[in-house]
Amino acid sequence: MYLTRPWTIRQYAGFSTAEASNAFYKNNLAAGQKGLSIAFDLATHRGYDSDHPRVTGDVGMAGVAIDTVQDMERLFEGIPLAEMSVSMTMNGAVIPILAFFILAAERQGLAPEQLKGTIQNDILKEFLVRNTYIYPPEPSMRIIADIFSYTARQMPRFNSISISGYHMLEAGATPELELAYTLADGLEYVRCGIRAGLDIDDFAPRLSFFWGIGMDHYTEVAKMRAGRLLWAKLLKEFDPKDPRSMMLRAHSQTSGWSLAAQDPLNNIARTTIEALSAILGHTQSLHTNSFDEALALPTAYSAGIARRTQQILRDEFGLCDLIDPLGGSDHVEQETERLVEAAWGHIQEIEKKGGMAKAIIEGIPKAKIEEAATLRQAALDSDREVRVGVNTFRLENEMEHETLEVDNKQVLQQQVLKLRKHRAERDQVAVKAALEALEAAAADPQQNLLQVAINAARSGATLGELSNAMEAVFGRYEQTSALVRGVYSGAIGDSERYQDAAALVEKFRRQEGRSPRVLMAKVGQDGHDRGLQVISSGFADLGFDVVQSPMFLSPEEVAANAVKAKVDIIGLSTMTGAHKTLVPVMMKSLKALGRTDIMVVLGGIIPIKDHETLKNLGVAAIYGPGTRLTKAAASILKGMTHD
């Protein structure tokens, strides 16, 4: 392990424009980062060009906006791709992004076989938890098979998929659920590759994994060990001849959910503990989160601390001096055995349903993750789980911290201008023919979509156009969610806080002759729905009449849905910084519909400096990370009832 080669410091980053992200990457590389990990904005993830009306609030906000091959060239300008390992977190628009990457490298004089890195390409976890999908499951799996096939032939040094448990952990999965469902996803992808006509040894050595690392130190170490044992057991059934086919190589990232908005400097200690867990579990590469990510996007200062944390652990702590510092620990061995047994049971449950793709359609894994998330929230709300600075040892006066703010309007304007110029200068006839060829390829399983998309991107097609050509055949997927009922009340229903909030619901019911009605909604392209699902379940248990909004609505659509559903409250979750653009539009829409009486409350990651502006627009309350669900419910209802 690290005696001969330390883990790769691979910080996940991207924001604003390709030019801004490029400058950020160069600074990080100069400061000791060894590999790039690219974050794309939500418009890019969901297959939209930046000038699409649905993404006005999302462009450049939680990642970098990429619309064209030229954007990808700008992203890597001055960064030698022949020497650099590049990880790209992309699943929905994976075909256009990988095509752009290959062409950007080509314009640096590189052939595909020279490229090193990883494309996430893990669509099953999108249907499970993350929600940045585009197409339905069946054509999405065909896309994965085409990428496996192309990379097996053309990109032998490139990892064709990163099977991700991280987002499951962030959505609320326990370590054993994250372990089981990640490996079950991997098993589905192996079968997908074999159905595509590949030999197990053609692609399995280039499968990689991505773990989330939480605060349960020894369990996280054991989880990574258990994962390697179970993956080797599962892959052995396919009779590989190359031993590398059974290896589980992993990137890890410290938890974002464990970060607290309250007294956020405590997050440096949390991240350090989680990083140590990943290293003692023998991760191949690592991202450490910045302390201010529960407040906003990380600043250069906080990102520097996160990077230095890894350098201190690597160079000062002696972690590279021993092969396995925890080897032989009775506790770690016992915990590994427990996780192996528990995860194997969950894997077998998925197998009996016919594999993960079919289990997802039945909603089994998603329901279990949401149940676990709701139980975790109940533990925090009841103080059974301690979070220092949040539900214990609270500071009376907290210091303010500088936060990074991306000017969405400026980035949007820049991207729109670049798109107009790009479209005006290209050969429209060639683009039209190339897009028609891609649409025909989508209808023909014998053609490789990535190869055809590379040709279309070379002609000048944009990311949105490439996505639309495939969507014309595949359609765009829409997912429905169901409330988890009885879990929150079962875990916390006898507490005083729960009883007080439930009494206020009953008071409203007596006064109005009905339950308080709330629309729970996301706005824009943000798919992070853990908070929304947990709050919806908890409020339903308390007695609210909860209406769940579809995902990915415009602010105007949220307002219209609220009026149609005759709600008293809109509970809007926002995590990506789009609130300054999208909330004013929603408030204006409510006014135009004559329903300014509907109470609007916000939850999520919203910098304190923005609170006054939002409240001046008519927002009644803002609840940040760490807010007790019962406290939020009670404060809302106190404004709706009278003595």
Side-chain angles (χ1 to χ4, degrees):
M1 287 301 294
Y2 308 134
L3 281 171
T4 55
R5 182 181 178 182
W7 68 92
T8 301
I9 299 174
R10 191 187 297 279
Q11 294 297 93
Y12 177 59
F15 59 92
S16 185
T17 61
E19 293 86 349
S21 291
N22 175 266
F24 188 80
Y25 296 151
K26 286 178 177 175
N27 288 335
N28 282 3
L29 292 170
Q33 184 170 313
K34 296 299 182 183
L36 293 179
S37 184
I38 313 301
F40 298 97
D41 73 359
L42 289 166
T44 303
H45 272 288
R46 295 268 294 147
Y48 293 112
D49 285 334
S50 294
D51 57 358
H52 195 286
R54 281 203 166 273
V55 299
T56 54
D58 297 302
V59 175
M61 293 306 293
V64 60
I66 299 292
D67 294 315
T68 63
V69 174
Q70 286 76 16
D71 280 336
M72 192 70 86
E73 286 185 88
R74 296 178 190 109
L75 189 66
F76 295 114
E77 185 178 355
I79 297 172
L81 292 175
E83 304 169 15
M84 187 61 53
S85 172
V86 177
S87 172
M88 294 180 287
T89 299
M90 176 54 63
N91 303 283
V94 63
I95 289 283
I97 286 296
L98 193 48
F100 288 173
F101 178 67
I102 290 166
L103 290 175
E106 182 181 280
R107 294 172 188 185
Q108 286 192 10
L110 301 176
E113 56 263 27
Q114 294 175 268
L115 297 174
K116 296 183 294 182
T118 304
I119 187 79
Q120 191 165 98
N121 194 24
D122 176 8
I123 200 63
L124 289 176
K125 73 100 168 64
E126 299 298 328
F127 296 119
L128 265 174
V129 290
R130 179 64 182 85
N131 299 318
T132 51
Y133 42 71
I134 301 175
Y135 316 112
E138 187 174 348
S140 295
M141 293 298 287
R142 183 246 172 124
I143 286 170
I144 288 170
D146 283 0
I147 290 172
F148 282 180
S149 180
Y150 181 92
T151 53
R153 294 192 316 269
Q154 306 283 348
M155 302 172 74
R157 305 173 73 193
F158 196 83
N159 299 319
S160 53
I161 196 167
S162 175
I163 304 155
S164 176
Y166 177 82
H167 304 88
M168 298 182 201
L169 187 78
E170 292 296 278
T174 60
E176 46 264 57
L177 285 176
E178 179 198 2
L179 181 60
Y181 292 162
T182 306
L183 297 179
D185 281 353
L187 196 55
E188 192 81 10
Y189 296 135
V190 167
R191 290 169 178 154
C192 176
I194 289 171
R195 285 195 300 271
L198 298 172
D199 185 85
I200 186 70
D201 292 326
D202 289 341
F203 65 94
R206 286 185 303 282
L207 304 179
S208 67
F209 288 79
F210 175 20
W211 299 122
I213 307 296
M215 283 294 290
D216 194 342
H217 175 65
Y218 293 107
T219 295
E220 294 297 344
V221 174
K223 179 180 77 181
M224 299 177 75
R225 293 165 183 250
R228 288 193 289 271
L229 190 157
L230 284 166
W231 186 241
K233 179 178 180 179
L234 290 166
L235 266 288
K236 195 170 184 179
E237 295 297 317
F238 295 91
D239 194 27
K241 304 300 184 289
D242 186 343
R244 295 176 302 165
S245 293
M246 295 189 291
M247 291 173 59
L248 189 156
R249 292 161 301 113
H251 172 70
S252 301
Q253 180 173 340
T254 60
S255 173
W257 183 81
S258 70
L259 303 178
Q262 300 82 4
D263 200 6
L265 288 176
N266 291 336
N267 294 332
I268 298 173
R270 293 185 178 104
T271 293
T272 303
I273 292 165
E274 292 168 350
L276 182 60
S277 301
I279 294 161
L280 291 174
H282 290 158
T283 191
Q284 274 68 53
S285 61
L286 178 62
H287 167 95
T288 33
N289 284 332
S290 301
F291 74 84
D292 54 356
E293 290 189 52
L295 304 174
L297 293 169
T299 62
Y301 173 72
S302 66
I305 293 173
R307 185 176 58 250
R308 293 292 185 224
T309 298
Q310 292 199 51
Q311 292 169 332
I312 290 167
L313 288 170
R314 183 189 65 192
D315 299 335
E316 295 187 27
F317 197 41
L319 289 172
C320 298
D321 297 339
L322 296 169
I323 292 173
D324 188 5
L326 290 183
S329 160
D330 283 348
H331 179 63
V332 171
E333 296 295 339
Q334 289 170 10
E335 186 65 359
T336 301
E337 186 176 348
R338 183 189 72 80
L339 287 171
V340 165
E341 184 177 344
W344 187 252
H346 291 301
I347 291 170
Q348 292 310 300
E349 180 185 27
I350 298 299
E351 285 294 283
K352 287 175 183 175
K353 295 295 180 181
M356 183 54 93
K358 291 181 179 177
I360 285 172
I361 292 170
E362 289 193 34
I364 295 167
K366 187 173 180 66
K368 286 198 173 184
I369 291 172
E370 290 178 358
E371 180 178 336
T374 304
L375 285 170
R376 190 83 184 271
Q377 185 66 42
L380 286 167
D381 287 355
S382 63
D383 298 339
R384 291 195 306 274
E385 180 175 332
V386 171
R387 188 165 293 186
V388 173
V390 179
N391 59 4
T392 60
F393 306 110
R394 286 290 302 266
L395 295 178
E396 289 187 15
N397 298 300
E398 293 192 23
M399 62 182 291
E400 289 191 21
H401 296 271
E402 178 189 355
T403 55
L404 176 67
E405 183 173 355
V406 173
D407 188 339
N408 165 248
K409 292 180 180 178
Q410 183 181 37
V411 176
L412 179 62
Q413 183 180 40
Q414 290 177 23
Q415 289 301 116
V416 169
L417 289 174
K418 285 190 288 187
L419 273 166
R420 285 177 185 167
K421 184 174 184 293
H422 173 79
R423 290 184 180 127
E425 293 175 351
R426 66 189 184 176
D427 182 339
Q428 304 294 355
V429 174
V431 172
K432 183 174 183 294
L435 290 171
E436 287 174 352
L438 181 58
E439 185 174 336
D444 180 4
Q446 300 306 310
Q447 295 196 57
N448 187 287
L449 284 168
L450 179 55
Q451 182 63 69
V452 180
I454 291 169
N455 296 335
R458 188 178 281 116
S459 77
T462 67
L463 176 134
E465 290 166 341
L466 294 169
S467 291
N468 288 341
M470 292 182 283
E471 186 181 335
V473 176
F474 298 152
R476 184 170 280 265
Y477 183 68
E478 294 183 10
Q479 191 172 57
T480 56
S481 295
L483 286 175
V484 174
R485 294 184 179 273
V487 173
Y488 187 78
S489 58
I492 196 178
D494 57 354
S495 73
E496 185 177 345
R497 293 191 187 103
Y498 183 94
Q499 295 294 334
D500 287 347
L504 285 169
V505 174
E506 182 57 33
K507 183 178 180 180
F508 180 97
R509 191 180 289 119
R510 288 196 307 270
Q511 292 177 353
E512 302 295 331
R514 58 179 178 83
S515 297
R517 191 167 174 83
V518 56
L519 177 75
M520 294 294 189
K522 302 284 294 184
V523 67
Q525 300 304 306
D526 177 19
H528 291 99
D529 65 348
R530 173 182 181 158
L532 192 74
Q533 291 297 114
V534 167
I535 293 166
S536 296
S537 297
F539 272 37
D541 281 4
L542 283 165
F544 282 80
D545 182 5
V546 175
V547 180
Q548 286 190 296
S549 174
M551 298 284 284
F552 310 121
L553 295 185
S554 69
E556 296 92 342
E557 288 168 337
V558 172
N561 279 8
V563 172
K564 183 179 179 181
K566 299 179 180 179
V567 300
D568 306 294
I569 312 150
I570 297 174
L572 197 68
S573 170
T574 173
M575 304 288 287
T576 60
H579 54 275
K580 291 181 73 173
T581 302
L582 299 181
V583 172
V585 175
M586 189 186 75
M587 302 304 287
K588 185 177 179 180
S589 296
L590 284 173
K591 184 176 181 180
L593 293 167
R595 289 302 310 273
T596 55
D597 59 306
I598 294 176
M599 179 188 291
V600 175
V601 298
L602 305 182
I605 298 177
I606 301 171
I608 293 172
K609 61 184 175 61
D610 293 341
H611 285 202
E612 184 177 356
T613 300
L614 292 167
K615 288 182 177 179
N616 287 340
L617 291 171
V619 172
I622 301 168
Y623 303 106
T627 302
R628 285 190 176 95
L629 192 155
T630 48
K631 179 180 179 181
S635 64
I636 289 168
L637 288 165
K638 282 176 182 175
M640 299 175 64
T641 57
H642 53 84
D643 294 328

